[in-house]
Amino acid sequence: MRRTGLCVHPLDQFHIWFTWAHNAGLAEPNAMVLATVEADAGVRARTVLLKGYDRFGLRFFTNYGSRKGRALDADPAASAVLPWHPIRRQVIIGGSVERLSAEESDAYFRTRPRGSQIGAWASEHQSSVVADRAALDEGYARAERRWAGVEEVPRPPYWGGYRLRPTEVEFWQGRRDRMHDRFRYVLESGSPADGTWRIDRLEP
Ligand SMILES: Cc1cc2nc3c(=O)[nH]c(=O)nc-3n(C[C@H](O)[C@H](O)[C@H](O)COP(=O)(O)O)c2cc1C
Ligand SMILES: Cc1ncc(COP(=O)(O)O)c(CN)c1O
């Protein structure tokens, strides 16, 4: 990797890499490990699916009442890792999240298969303890009956998206002898979409 070959904006560079990862046939190139801060439990990470991105940030969807949802609403700081092992690449994004608008969340929810839409209603309290599989299946059947005959299952009020607004983005390309290429974009001034980004090469 060469400094001169990098895009001025990290999300433009991300687009090139994401397209490459997609075309390389990786199983789930949009799977990203999202770390959040919890008031009493430190840091916690889990995988979510990246469902869209632009210069404003990266969008993912979840249950706002889940463990991650509550963590993010109390402290919006977050970091996401896209681990593209087969192509020896990694992207790390740091920043803070904001909720998407109801319209943006509605628009995405409408694209989900009906079964997943029902599932969101059945998993109202995502991340809380459930007695057993039977209780889950009953909940799914109840939600199915509730929306039977309704052509478009509405988005549950507790379900929607977040945008991770980047302030730092690192691109990592594995190379021989552990002498990897690493370039980090840091937002120096302005907003993520149209601010000024500094680019530094890092030691591997
Ligand atoms: C590949 C993969 C993708 C996932 N994508 C999502 C997602 O987009 N949204 C989501 O809420 N959970 C997703 N999950 C489940 C989460 O990892 C997690 O178990 C769940 O959201 C509860 O997390 P929490 O208790 O930290 O809130 C995914 C899991 C895997 C393995
Ligand atoms: C619970 C949950 N919610 C949301 C998603 C996001 O993906 P999709 O909208 O494609 O279901 C996933 C993907 N694994 C998931 O497991």
Side-chain angles (χ1 to χ4, degrees):
M1 284 172 78
R2 304 242 305 268
R3 168 73 182 75
T4 49
L6 295 174
C7 298
V8 171
H9 196 282
L11 265 297
D12 295 346
Q13 187 64 37
F14 181 81
H15 179 61
I16 293 172
W17 275 37
F18 187 81
T19 305
W20 183 273
H22 183 263
N23 292 342
L26 299 201
E28 295 204 74
N30 63 332
M32 61 179 191
V33 177
L34 178 80
T36 56
V37 182
E38 299 185 310
D40 43 5
V43 170
R44 189 161 179 279
R46 81 290 287 154
T47 309
V48 294
L49 292 183
L50 172 64
K51 292 295 180 171
Y53 58 83
D54 54 28
R55 288 186 181 184
F56 293 91
L58 298 94
R59 300 184 291 278
F60 60 92
F61 294 84
T62 191
N63 183 315
Y64 287 135
S66 67
R67 190 164 166 184
K68 83 183 80 55
R70 282 179 286 122
L72 288 170
D73 289 348
D75 184 339
S79 173
V81 182
L82 292 110
W84 295 326
H85 305 148
I87 57 171
R88 303 192 69 205
R89 283 183 174 183
Q90 165 182 254
V91 181
I92 304 176
I93 297 129
S96 62
V97 303
E98 62 185 12
R99 286 193 186 197
L100 299 184
S101 68
E103 291 70 28
E104 286 175 289
S105 291
D106 285 341
Y108 176 70
F109 193 77
R110 275 198 294 275
T111 70
R112 303 183 83 212
R114 187 178 181 89
S116 305
Q117 294 175 333
I118 301 277
W121 282 99
S123 181
E124 178 175 355
H125 304 289
Q126 186 185 39
S127 311
S128 62
V129 174
V130 63
D132 50 23
R133 183 76 221 181
L136 276 184
D137 293 343
E138 262 168 49
Y140 187 90
R142 212 177 310 120
E144 232 177 358
R145 285 195 300 276
R146 177 171 176 190
W147 300 111
V150 176
E151 200 183 328
E152 193 152 285
V153 177
R155 174 176 62 90
Y158 51 79
W159 196 98
Y162 288 98
R163 174 181 296 104
L164 173 55
R165 303 176 77 240
T167 51
E168 179 182 321
V169 184
E170 183 192 318
F171 295 87
W172 184 98
Q173 171 73 68
R175 294 193 53 179
R176 57 177 295 185
D177 303 323
R178 301 291 191 241
M179 290 296 284
H180 316 304
D181 285 323
R182 297 177 63 191
F183 283 100
R184 180 183 59 197
Y185 291 69
V186 177
L187 182 63
E188 280 197 314
S189 63
S191 69
D194 52 18
T196 305
W197 290 86
R198 190 184 76 238
I199 306 177
D200 294 306
R201 182 187 275 275
L202 306 179
E203 289 195 19

